[in-house]
Amino acid sequence: MQTRKGMTIAAIALTLAVVGCASASSTGTPGASQAAVQTAAATGAATPAPAKVTSINYWYWQDDTTDPTIKNLAGQFEQLTGIHVNIQDSIAQPNFYQSLVNAVAAGNAPDATHLNTNMFGQLIQANVLEPLGPQIDAWSGKADVIPSMWKFVTGPDGKTIYAMPNKFLMFYMYYRTDLFQAAGVSVPKTQDEFVAAAKALTIPSKNQYGFDIRGGANGQDQWAAFLVAGGAQYLDSSGGVAFNSAATKTSNNLYISTFPYAPPGAINDGYAQITSNFEAGHAAMIINHLGLAKTLDKWNSANTGVALIPSASGDPTKTTYMGTMNANAVLAASNKKEAAFAWISFLAQTQAQLAITLSTNGYLPVVQSVASDKQFATNKYMQISIQAAAGDVTAWPAVPGTTVATQKTWQPLFQGALLAKNSNDAVVEGVATTLGQK
């Protein structure tokens, strides 16, 4: 099984538990083919670095486009180093990967970029990303990074590090406590109970529905997180694709069976739509992560409940949960690699990590110095993430097929299943086949 026992934030769990005793996004546009990525990578080799670097280009996406945190940090970085960071943050996350590939092909790629683990596979294979092992070994902040975080930014060889950890998250369920109470429904622990709850919470005359299935942009992560909790595995112990299994198909069938209990238009819903449906009471349950927590907590903390994603057994100790990493990488074609690394390593240091974690775009910190901050010990969103990460955790694997599976294969097959244009099994089989592509 491609899982990591307590690998993700066990250190955070331990630290926050001690503090407590003493006293707290997102992937769905057509993906580039591997040939396209390789062609893009071949267009420009790095040129000799100038004598003094005064600026670098950095690409980044934001779930909350009003959040100034990264720009503020860039200002601090410039004061410290004299290097100005030109930030490109206008590209929405669903279009980010393709835009990056296009920029590489055109020879105007950034020096450094934000990436999700879903995007690594083809970029690594095409040598688009600079290996960072030597720089990280020489970096003074390495010891503060939670050791398990490095596994999310390590290539398929299990050795080469291609990015700096930046923001980590676990997927979990949000639910409307008021709607559950009014309907007399208990929070589901098993996936069968989840389907029954979705049905019981659906009252079309009130424009109230049980679960927003998110069939639009980036919905594959929520879908996959549900299937992983249902027993799906991406790869087996030898690295072979294991996704096309009976357990995966059973969980997929249960997930798709909630579509009649989804708000109208859910087949095309993305991040913004599931958020607004939840706040308006049109969806009693959604699956997301810590990146949505501050928005919902500000909206109405009392009516925002959190729970582990329902699993096959209902027993968290027997369940694998899914996480993911947003990291920062240096482009191999950059002629400003040293300055680019200085920037991405700055974003992984204590002051920056605390600012990122507290921002509306913040996830879980990747450094122990911030994980130990006592303000997080009573944060319900942090705590459910820690609970999900306490046992077996998996993520989309860093293989070339993942990029295509998540950004091209999944959505048309999933929407086809919702509309009965293809079978439910075709979704699982299509993703499994794509994962195996080189």
Side-chain angles (χ1 to χ4, degrees), residues 231-358:
Q233 300 176 43
Y234 293 114
L235 307 178
D236 58 28
S237 58
S238 64
V241 175
F243 196 69
N244 189 12
S245 69
T248 306
K249 290 179 176 179
T250 296
S251 186
N252 179 58
N253 285 337
L254 288 169
Y255 192 81
I256 290 174
S257 75
T258 66
F259 185 49
Y261 317 124
I267 192 170
N268 293 311
D269 280 358
Y271 178 87
Q273 290 75 32
I274 67 169
T275 303
S276 61
N277 280 336
F278 187 86
E279 292 177 344
H282 301 327
M285 296 182 287
I286 58 175
I287 292 174
N288 209 261
H289 49 63
L290 193 64
L292 183 56
K294 293 182 179 69
T295 297
L296 295 183
D297 195 66
K298 182 179 180 180
W299 161 72
N300 192 322
S301 178
N303 285 344
T304 303
V306 292
L308 295 172
I309 293 175
S311 65
S313 67
D315 183 351
T317 66
K318 299 178 181 178
T319 302
T320 297
Y321 296 103
M322 185 170 132
T324 191
M325 171 76 72
N326 285 356
N328 289 311
V330 175
L331 278 289
S334 171
N335 64 353
K336 302 177 181 179
K337 294 186 180 69
E338 184 176 349
F341 181 80
W343 165 240
I344 68 171
S345 59
F346 171 80
L347 293 177
Q349 294 175 357
T350 301
Q351 182 182 7
Q353 277 289 293
L354 182 59
I356 290 168
T357 301
L358 292 174

Side-chain angles (χ1 to χ4, degrees), residues 337-382:
K337 294 186 180 69
E338 184 176 349
F341 181 80
W343 165 240
I344 68 171
S345 59
F346 171 80
L347 293 177
Q349 294 175 357
T350 301
Q351 182 182 7
Q353 277 289 293
L354 182 59
I356 290 168
T357 301
L358 292 174
S359 75
T360 55
N361 278 298
Y363 295 170
L364 293 166
V366 299
V367 294
Q368 299 173 79
S369 56
V370 176
S372 63
D373 195 304
K374 63 182 180 181
Q375 67 182 302
F376 302 131
T378 56
N379 183 304
K380 63 185 177 183
Y381 311 103
M382 290 279 191

Side-chain angles (χ1 to χ4, degrees), residues 73-90:
L73 290 171
Q76 296 173 25
F77 178 75
E78 184 172 4
Q79 289 182 343
L80 289 170
T81 66
I83 300 171
H84 179 74
V85 182
N86 298 309
I87 299 176
Q88 164 60 275
D89 61 1
S90 63

Side-chain angles (χ1 to χ4, degrees), residues 34-56:
Q34 181 60 25
V37 177
Q38 290 173 333
T39 300
T43 58
T47 56
K52 179 174 175 57
V53 174
T54 58
S55 68
I56 60 170

